[in-house]
Amino acid sequence: MHIDILTLFPEYFNGPFSESIVRRALQKQLVQINLHNIRNYATNKHKTVDDYPFGGGAGMVMQIEPIDQCMDELKKQRTYDEIIYLSPDGDLFDQPMANLLSTKKNLLFLCGHYKGVDERVREHLITREISIGNYVLTGGETAATVVVDAIIRLIPGVLSDETSALSDSFQDNLISPPVYTRPANYKGWEVPEILMSGHQMKIDEWRHEQSLLRTRERRPDLLKDE
Ligand code: ADE
């Protein structure tokens, strides 16, 4: 998979993409992430990328021209399956959307700032808008990190045990069962005996029951279609 991220703050991503599973996926070249500083595509001599909103009002608006120029360059090199704008008024990101995006070849993410981007970017240059939740972040970078992380771990070969992404919470609309490791008894807090019984079928049954119980208790909304 190839991912391009258009941002005013490329260095923001240094931390999240240089650790753990994402770092390994990059090293193994299962995914390639290129960061592009929108400011490098500013056409005026002050290299500004934002301006006052027509009609007045607070906040600055990201201009269309540098974004369009940057995308034009990139579109010469590859065809994008999706051009995604991170925005609090986009479609709410969830596991099915992550699953779908993880099957794509070329993705482009545009991170907004200030009051947002000129509406014409959204009308003409974007194929999909994604929100990671009903709250407003300072910019799209945090949201892009979340979405890219959720996608990358689904790419075959990224997780060492390929089945583990399939047994995640939400993959079957159920929350994962509880997990335990040694010691079996810590300060008198004991691990459920069934897990140490060695009876795999019973353990699987117990885990499934726990998933159902937890989902009913914590996220009944996930069961409402059943
Ligand atoms: N940009 C600002 N807030 C956001 C959100 N909740 N989701 C996606 N992008 C955003």
Side-chain angles (χ1 to χ4, degrees):
M1 177 184 285
H2 181 95
I3 295 174
D4 287 293
I5 301 180
L6 276 57
T7 170
L8 291 172
F9 303 98
E11 285 175 12
Y12 175 92
F13 297 94
N14 288 350
F17 293 161
S18 63
E19 299 290 344
S20 185
I21 290 167
V22 176
R23 183 174 75 146
R24 235 182 316 126
L26 290 166
Q27 278 171 345
K28 285 205 239 166
Q29 298 189 330
L30 295 168
V31 61
Q32 190 185 10
I33 303 177
N34 289 353
L35 300 165
H36 307 275
N37 191 339
I38 298 168
R39 204 171 291 283
N40 294 341
Y41 296 83
T43 46
N44 58 46
K45 71 170 191 260
H46 299 294
K47 295 260 173 211
T48 55
V49 288
D50 59 328
D51 209 336
Y52 295 99
F54 280 126
M60 303 292 271
V61 178
M62 283 171 69
Q63 293 168 287
I64 188 169
E65 199 176 0
I67 294 170
D68 188 37
Q69 301 271 322
C70 180
M71 285 186 187
D72 260 357
E73 272 310 305
L74 297 175
K75 283 187 215 160
K76 281 182 202 152
Q77 294 161 46
R78 48 182 55 85
T79 309
Y80 290 96
D81 298 293
E82 296 280 7
I83 297 182
I84 297 162
Y85 176 53
L86 286 316
S87 152
D89 34 291
D91 296 330
L92 208 52
F93 188 59
D94 60 7
Q95 193 62 50
M97 204 190 289
N99 294 349
L100 178 74
L101 292 175
S102 75
T103 63
K104 306 293 185 194
K105 208 161 157 253
N106 296 311
L107 297 175
L108 189 154
F109 291 89
L110 170 64
C111 305
H113 258 269
Y114 317 123
K115 237 8 217 170
V117 294
D118 187 305
E119 187 63 20
R120 290 165 293 184
V121 170
R122 301 168 75 164
E123 278 172 10
H124 301 289
L125 305 179
I126 293 297
T127 63
R128 183 188 271 268
E129 300 196 12
I130 296 179
S131 162
I132 63 158
N134 293 329
Y135 38 78
V136 180
L137 303 164
T138 55
E141 284 76 10
T142 318
T145 308
V146 168
V147 174
V148 166
D149 184 286
I151 293 171
I152 285 181
R153 63 190 292 288
L154 296 171
I155 297 171
V158 169
L159 295 184
S160 45
D161 174 3
E162 265 198 47
T163 59
S164 68
L166 293 175
S167 61
D168 285 343
S169 282
F170 302 113
Q171 283 298 11
D172 46 11
N173 259 10
L174 292 178
I175 287 181
S176 293
V179 292
Y180 300 86
T181 187
R182 278 179 289 206
N185 184 336
Y186 181 70
K187 293 183 174 174
W189 302 328
E190 290 180 10
V191 171
E193 231 164 82
I194 179 88
L195 294 176
M196 286 167 302
S197 67
H199 199 309
Q200 198 55 52
M201 224 170 69
K202 288 217 164 119
I203 292 173
D204 290 345
E205 257 171 42
W206 180 86
R207 284 184 169 150
H208 186 63
E209 270 166 32
Q210 290 293 315
S211 282
L212 279 168
L213 275 173
R214 283 207 157 184
T215 311
R216 240 175 252 140
E217 216 173 85
R218 301 179 183 203
R219 293 295 306 275
D221 56 300
L222 294 175
L223 294 170
K224 70 176 186 289
D225 298 336
E226 293 183 1

